[in-house]
């Protein structure tokens, strides 16, 4: 079947999905709402009010949309997938109920505890339990991890090395910037992180190339947590044995538990894992959507008909024949950020050199936070500005090509990590 697809979102993840959907043999039409200046090269960008689900439904009907792919978590939390399904439109993206696996850390931790899925020990504290959380933290072993119980774009987590740092994080979440819905306090997990993406149809699923993100802002995993400063795939850390263990002990029981609880997961289930030295792993977090920037690397090595894969999952029977290979070669993604991110940064800074960087056919430059001015100049518009993604026969080749392209792209506030994918080469 030929698909007429509306993709929802505007970041690097959506740009990567848009390129892969556009490449799909079964993709007849691709729109993206709202999209961004990079996505505009592969899809028709449409200005829709994404909070007005009735308007989105009407737009889909008027344009004979056969499949909606929802990129980010915010519309999923707001029930966009539910409202589209009620209207008879197929959606790749979970219901509001199933999306709680990401939107409520407490929901996710409770589901894991009930089903014996390995994760760090934890306690939840409600919006009015600042004092109880403080008392608990005061006697907790170090390091201790403090998480805001809601969506915080990867920035609501503090790994505290001292009790005073932990108390300061609680103060920030309860009385400072966040205005807590509550917090989760959990134990520290040792190991190396990996991101697994399971494309799910509610019951069955298939796993794409394992990736590794780099969440801290600074080289050597120092500084604040960010949404992710770079990624690569496939990650050699996730050997066949590691993947099989995680599949059996984490993915399969989680997807089964959601279905058994009456909220089957349709979409991309993202398992953020801590892989331990013995090859077992624990869940650091679940997300209800693809990871960003990991998806930029995962899609670069994906070979197959992504539109057919997503459409089949959305319709309840995943068609793995749509996949030729989940890992054809290696890909490295380096995020070019605005200096200052994840705190305050300047916007509206002129960007040059993207076309020159893409003269190397191994390179795709995904737009994450860019805008076009009235006279057509590309400028920065976000903390993560571009995702420079290179494909290579080896990880080393991809890494070298990515950094060479990063050198060619210029904006005065450009900031990047210089050690993306080094762990994969070690
Ligand atoms: P999250 O938003 O839950 O993924 O947390 C962001 C980052 O904080 C993770 O990618 C880890 O690097 C770190 N982190 C979160 N929870 C833990 C934990 N229990 N132990 C060690 N590191 C953690
Ligand atoms: N890169 C981490 C995330 O998408 O949550």
């Amino acid at each position: 079947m030929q698909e007429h697809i509306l993709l929802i979102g505007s970041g690097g993840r959506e740009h990567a999905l848009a390129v892969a959907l556009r490449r799909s043999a079964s993709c007849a039409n691709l729109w993206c709402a709202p999209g961004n200046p990079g996505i505009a090269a592969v899809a028709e960008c449409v200005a829709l009010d994404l909070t007005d689900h009735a308007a989105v439904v009407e737009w889909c009907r008027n344009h004979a949309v056969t499949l909606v792919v929802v990129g980010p978590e915010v519309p999923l939390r707001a029930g966009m997938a539910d409202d589209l399904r009620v209207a008879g439109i197929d959606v790749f993206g979970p219901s509001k109920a199933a999306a709680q696996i990401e939107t409520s850390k407490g929901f996710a931790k409770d589901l894991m505890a009930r089903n014996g899925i390995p994760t760090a020990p934890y306690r939840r504290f409600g919006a009015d339990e600042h004092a109880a959380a403080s008392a608990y933290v005061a006697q907790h072993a170090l390091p201790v991890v403090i998480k805001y119980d809601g969506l915080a774009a990867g920035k609501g987590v503090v790994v505290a090395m001292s009790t005073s740092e932990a108390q300061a994080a609680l103060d920030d979440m309860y009385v400072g910037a966040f205005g807590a819905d509550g917090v989760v306090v959990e134990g520290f997990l040792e190991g190396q992180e990996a991101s697994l993406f399971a494309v799910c149809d509610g019951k069955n699923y298939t796993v794409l190339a394992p990736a590794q993100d780099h969440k801290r802002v600074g080289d050597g995993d120092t500084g604040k947590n960010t949404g992710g400063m770079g990624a690569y795939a496939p990650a050699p850390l996730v050997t066949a044995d590691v993947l099989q263990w995680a599949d059996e002990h984490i993915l399969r029981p989680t997807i089964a538990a959601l279905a058994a609880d009456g909220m089957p997961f349709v979409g991309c289930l993202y398992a953020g894992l801590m892989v331990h030295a013995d090859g077992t792993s624990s869940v650091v977090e679940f997300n209800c959507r693809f990871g960003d920037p990991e998806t930029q690397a995962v899609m670069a090595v994906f070979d197959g008909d992504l539109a057919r894969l997503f459409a089949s999952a959305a319709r309840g029977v995943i068609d793995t024949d749509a996949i030729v290979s989940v890992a054809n070669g290696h890909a490295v993604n380096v995020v070019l950020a605005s200096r200052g991110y994840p705190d305050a940064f300047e916007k509206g800074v002129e960007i040059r050199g993207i076309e020159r960087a893409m003269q190397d056919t191994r390179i795709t430059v995904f737009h994450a936070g860019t805008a076009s001015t009235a006279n057509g100049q590309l400028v920065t518009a976000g903390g993560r500005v571009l995702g420079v993604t290179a494909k290579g026969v080896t990880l080393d080749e991809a890494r070298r090509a990515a950094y060479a392209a990063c050198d060619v792209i210029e904006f005065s506030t450009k900031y990047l990590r210089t050690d993306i994918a080094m762990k994969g080469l070690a």
Side-chain angles (χ1 to χ4, degrees):
M1 167 170 169
Q2 287 294 297
E3 304 293 344
H4 300 261
I5 303 168
L6 174 65
L7 172 65
I8 304 290
S10 62
R13 164 184 51 216
E14 287 76 25
H15 192 179
L17 291 173
V19 168
L21 288 168
R22 174 55 84 193
R23 264 205 310 259
S24 301
S26 67
C27 177
N29 256 313
L30 183 63
W31 296 276
C32 186
N36 68 34
I39 293 172
V42 288
E44 188 180 330
C45 294
V46 285
L48 284 175
D49 176 359
L50 298 179
T51 63
D52 184 350
H53 297 173
V56 176
V57 165
E58 195 190 320
W59 193 92
C60 288
R61 286 196 173 132
N62 289 338
H63 293 79
V65 166
T66 59
L67 176 70
V68 177
V69 176
V70 184
E73 62 277 17
V74 171
L76 295 167
R77 177 178 58 176
M80 179 185 273
D82 308 70
D83 291 336
L84 286 161
R85 280 193 192 103
V86 165
I89 298 163
D90 293 329
V91 190
F92 185 76
S95 66
K96 180 177 181 171
Q100 291 177 90
I101 197 88
E102 169 168 8
T103 61
S104 165
K105 289 202 187 280
F107 171 94
K109 295 297 276 189
D110 290 348
L111 180 132
M112 287 187 268
R114 276 200 313 279
N115 293 281
I117 294 158
T119 188
Y122 72 104
R123 269 194 55 188
R124 290 172 75 168
F125 295 93
D128 54 357
E129 293 188 290
H130 188 172
S134 281
Y136 181 71
V137 159
Q139 49 78 51
H140 198 288
L142 295 169
V144 61
V145 182
I146 316 286
K147 297 186 175 184
Y148 173 67
D149 196 1
L151 290 183
K155 296 164 218 158
V157 176
V158 174
V159 179
M161 305 311 286
S162 68
T163 302
S164 61
E165 198 187 336
Q167 299 292 4
L170 285 178
D171 289 346
D172 194 35
M173 289 184 201
Y174 273 106
V175 294
F178 290 94
D181 297 324
V183 303
V184 174
V185 178
E186 66 175 45
F188 181 76
L189 295 166
E190 298 267 2
Q192 282 210 62
E193 286 180 75
S195 306
L196 291 187
F197 301 133
V199 173
C200 307
D201 68 11
K203 261 202 311 260
N204 295 308
Y205 59 94
T206 190
V207 185
L208 301 181
Q212 189 167 49
D213 189 9
H214 298 69
K215 289 200 172 136
R216 301 292 190 115
V217 74
D219 280 355
D221 295 331
T222 54
K224 288 195 175 178
N225 261 311
T226 69
M229 293 299 293
Y232 64 99
L237 162 72
V238 184
T239 60
D241 286 348
V242 165
L243 185 58
Q244 199 193 333
W245 194 94
D247 184 33
E248 192 177 320
H249 295 88
I250 293 171
L251 295 176
R252 199 179 310 157
T254 301
I255 291 161
L258 285 165
D261 290 349
M263 40 189 116
F265 193 98
V266 178
C268 175
L269 179 68
Y270 166 146
L273 302 184
M274 192 67 82
V275 180
H276 308 302
D278 64 0
T280 67
S281 35
S282 304
V283 176
V284 176
E285 62 163 351
F286 282 118
N287 291 313
C288 65
R289 37 94 194 158
F290 280 102
D292 200 9
E294 296 97 310
T295 301
Q296 300 175 41
V298 171
M299 289 301 144
V301 296
F302 178 85
D303 185 4
D305 188 326
L306 192 72
R308 185 171 144 204
L309 183 69
F310 285 179
S312 66
R315 292 176 194 136
V317 186
I318 195 166
D319 175 9
T320 51
D321 288 345
I323 302 173
V324 177
S325 168
V326 295
N328 175 16
H330 293 262
V332 172
N333 160 276
V334 180
V335 170
L336 300 183
S338 298
R339 188 171 298 283
Y341 173 76
D343 296 321
F345 52 84
E346 192 185 337
K347 290 186 190 177
V349 178
E350 199 174 300
I351 304 168
R352 295 181 181 282
I354 292 179
E355 278 175 23
R356 234 182 91 210
M358 285 185 48
Q359 279 167 10
D360 180 338
T361 55
R362 297 171 298 178
I363 302 293
T364 310
V365 179
F366 295 110
H367 291 230
T370 68
S372 274
T373 62
N375 59 14
Q377 172 62 47
L378 192 71
V379 296
T380 64
R384 295 189 292 175
V385 178
L386 298 168
V388 177
T389 305
K391 228 188 127 169
V393 175
T394 63
L395 185 59
D396 188 48
E397 181 199 342
R399 186 184 132 75
R400 285 170 197 278
Y403 275 106
C406 289
D407 275 346
V408 169
I409 296 172
E410 291 167 32
F411 53 98
S412 63
T413 52
K414 180 172 92 172
Y415 170 81
L416 70 164
R417 271 183 68 162
T418 64
D419 61 349
I420 303 300
M422 287 307 282
K423 279 186 233 167
L425 294 170

